Amino acid sequence: MSNDNLRIIIIGGGAGGISAASTSKSVAPAASVTVFTEFEDVAYSPCGIPFVLGKEIPDFERLFLQTSEHYASIGIDLRLKTAVTGIDLEGRTVSVGADKFPWDRLIIATGFEYEKPEIPGIDLEGIHYVKNIRRAMEFDKILDSVKKVVVMAATPLGIEIAGNLAHRGLETHLVDEGAWLMSEVADPDIMEPVQKSLEELGTVIHFGVKVLEFRGAGGKLKSVVTTGGEIECDVAVIATHKKPNNRIAREAGVEIGSTGGIMVDDHMRTSVKDVYAAGDCAEVVHGVTDIPIQGLSGSHAYSQGRVAGANAGGVERAYDPVFVPWGMVGGQVQIGGVSLGETLHKALGIPHFVAAATGISRARYYPGVTRIRVKLIVDPETHRVLGAQMSGGEGIKERADFLAFSIKRGARIEDFAWMENVYSPPIGALMEPIALAAQAGLAELAKKK
Amino acid sequence: MAFGSWLRKNAEKYLMEAARDSVAARYPEYCAKPYREKGLVPFLWLNVFVPVYLAVPWRVRRKIILFTSYPGGRRPSWKKFD
């Protein structure tokens, strides 16, 4: 088919959808590219919302990366507040109510939705989810008049919200069933500095408790009842799991994988010819285990959108399995890693040993120096590094990116132990903490021989 | 819920519980007591499924996981790194 007449429709205006639209338009300028989104806005950073709520960022306007007019100026037909209600795979149309729009290539980028906990009182006024920027703006105004907040679940979002609301000066309670923060993805020794930092900010953390009920009066939330007691509050934030928003894809007959995400190959092609998927609604392959995973970062969604957009526009592009470098700030502490940590390796039963050490971020005498803990998870047979976790005051993101790149290329613990590193007192210590961890791991191995 | 999704959801939940208990035993100074559901169903998952799962060699187990992850075991085309 000539690209001159190509009609590309994208469902969803988040990172995956917008990057798909921009890439399609750039590789196939003559194609018609239409984006449907049920929301009022596109091209903003939802990941910045907790920091505006915490007054770290002064206003929501800064989170917008592009205007709607920009997309019109590059020839993208952006349909805001227009929810696609169905997909006809046979007739190759999408429906918006009674209206039908034909496509030659379809990209599904419908993102995620929060798992709504089945807890009595979940629909009370005062219970909030943090996702959409307009709702966050409304929530921000509400926060001006409240004193006590309960955040449910110590997930990455829950930790960001709890830290930021405490920073804002609110009495903040973080409630979680686990034994440590982010216990589903991170290890306790890595999270301990974050816990301390959150507590220093004033967050009250309730570990090992389950939320039983949201209790209200006159339809408004008044308290959260847990197995550890009742916590009075004015509002609650639900920060539980994200799940793929796959409803219209599933109803249309597009194949869904075991994670609940839309199954795609490395070209972001779904089970249906000329239909692609990208971002949080899709599942992709994990580079270390080969197992499909879902629900990654905005940068993953953006990259997947670019691949889907290029292929839909007729230019072949492939997406590699993911090694998932991640990082965030919890309280005042940076944490991050690559792939899976110790806990997840244990859960999956992947043979491994742990190499860990604590180093420093700058020369030990230089003002601002902080400790950096590095844990490498290593295959005992091949010595290939499988994953890593880190915490510290600075430089975690760069180390996570470097480790992800190295692990993807099969680096072994010996490679890290004897790596070269930058030494400059204001920005780097004599001994790189990653190298220290690797050397400690090798020393442990030598003892066992 | 399809069998693959049901199995993955429950397996993840109880394998994570067992792994977290094991990690907590290694780092007790950083851990509180977690919430745990009681009853026959959690007991069976934790005391039957988890030990059986962990007794199977990883290479075999990974193949089973991959087979049950995709309808009919058909993995879409992706680059392999190992």
Side-chain angles (χ1 to χ4, degrees), chain A residues 93-175:
Chain A
T93 60
V94 295
S95 305
V96 176
D99 298 326
K100 290 191 184 304
F101 297 85
W103 48 266
D104 301 304
R105 308 272 158 79
L106 176 67
I107 302 174
I108 304 169
T110 42
F112 74 92
E113 52 197 0
Y114 281 106
E115 207 170 68
K116 192 173 174 181
E118 289 176 13
I119 297 172
I122 190 69
D123 293 319
L124 284 169
E125 187 186 330
I127 295 176
H128 297 265
Y129 298 81
V130 174
K131 181 186 174 199
N132 175 273
I133 198 163
R134 298 284 175 130
R135 304 298 87 72
M137 289 173 180
E138 292 161 12
F139 184 43
D140 186 50
K141 290 188 183 125
I142 293 168
L143 287 174
D144 285 337
S145 59
V146 307
K147 290 195 171 76
K148 295 181 182 178
V149 185
V150 169
V151 179
M152 181 181 167
T155 56
L157 175 69
I159 287 170
E160 284 183 348
I161 291 283
N164 275 287
L165 296 187
H167 180 261
R168 187 178 174 129
L170 301 174
E171 181 184 321
T172 307
H173 296 259
L174 178 59
V175 176

Side-chain angles (χ1 to χ4, degrees), chain A residues 24 122 128 162 288 301 348 432:
Chain A
S24 287
I122 190 69
H128 297 265
V288 175
L348 281 162
E432 164 55 39

Side-chain angles (χ1 to χ4, degrees), chain A residues 177 179-180 183-184 188-189 192 207-208 210 227 255 258-259 263-266 283-285 288-292 319-321 323 342-344 346-351 375 381 384 408, chain B residues 4-5 8-9 15-16 19-24 26-27 29-37 53-54 58-59 61-62 65-66 68-71 74-82:
Chain A
E177 294 182 21
W180 65 89
S183 62
E184 295 199 343
D189 52 328
E192 189 259 352
F207 285 119
K210 182 184 172 75
T227 50
E255 206 146 36
S258 62
T259 66
M263 272 172 58
V264 291
D265 68 6
D266 60 354
E283 66 176 30
V284 295
V285 166
V288 175
T289 61
D290 223 21
I291 294 170
Y319 186 73
D320 279 350
F323 287 75
E342 186 181 354
T343 312
L344 277 164
K346 267 193 192 299
L348 281 162
I350 302 173
K375 267 175 91 167
E381 198 178 306
R384 280 178 66 168
K408 185 172 179 175
Chain B
S5 302
R8 179 168 175 147
K9 192 175 176 186
L15 287 167
M16 280 303 296
R20 281 184 284 197
D21 287 348
S22 164
V23 170
R26 184 175 152 127
Y27 305 100
E29 67 275 32
Y30 304 134
C31 301
K33 190 169 182 279
Y35 173 80
R36 289 283 182 267
E37 278 170 14
Y53 173 92
L54 293 177
W58 166 240
R59 283 171 205 276
R61 203 177 328 125
R62 186 165 84 158
I65 295 172
L66 290 176
T68 55
S69 291
Y70 300 111
R74 294 186 311 274
R75 179 186 188 270
S77 163
W78 281 86
K79 189 171 172 178
K80 288 211 175 200
F81 276 89
D82 56 357

Side-chain angles (χ1 to χ4, degrees), chain B residues 36-48:
Chain B
R36 289 283 182 267
E37 278 170 14
K38 293 183 175 70
L40 184 62
V41 172
F43 178 86
L44 290 176
W45 277 97
L46 285 168
N47 292 283
V48 179

Side-chain angles (χ1 to χ4, degrees), chain A residues 408-431:
Chain A
K408 185 172 179 175
R409 268 137 193 90
R412 300 165 75 238
I413 186 170
E414 288 84 356
D415 299 321
F416 292 114
W418 315 120
M419 65 185 272
E420 295 178 89
N421 65 275
V422 172
Y423 170 54
S424 174
I427 54 172
L430 197 59
M431 301 293 287

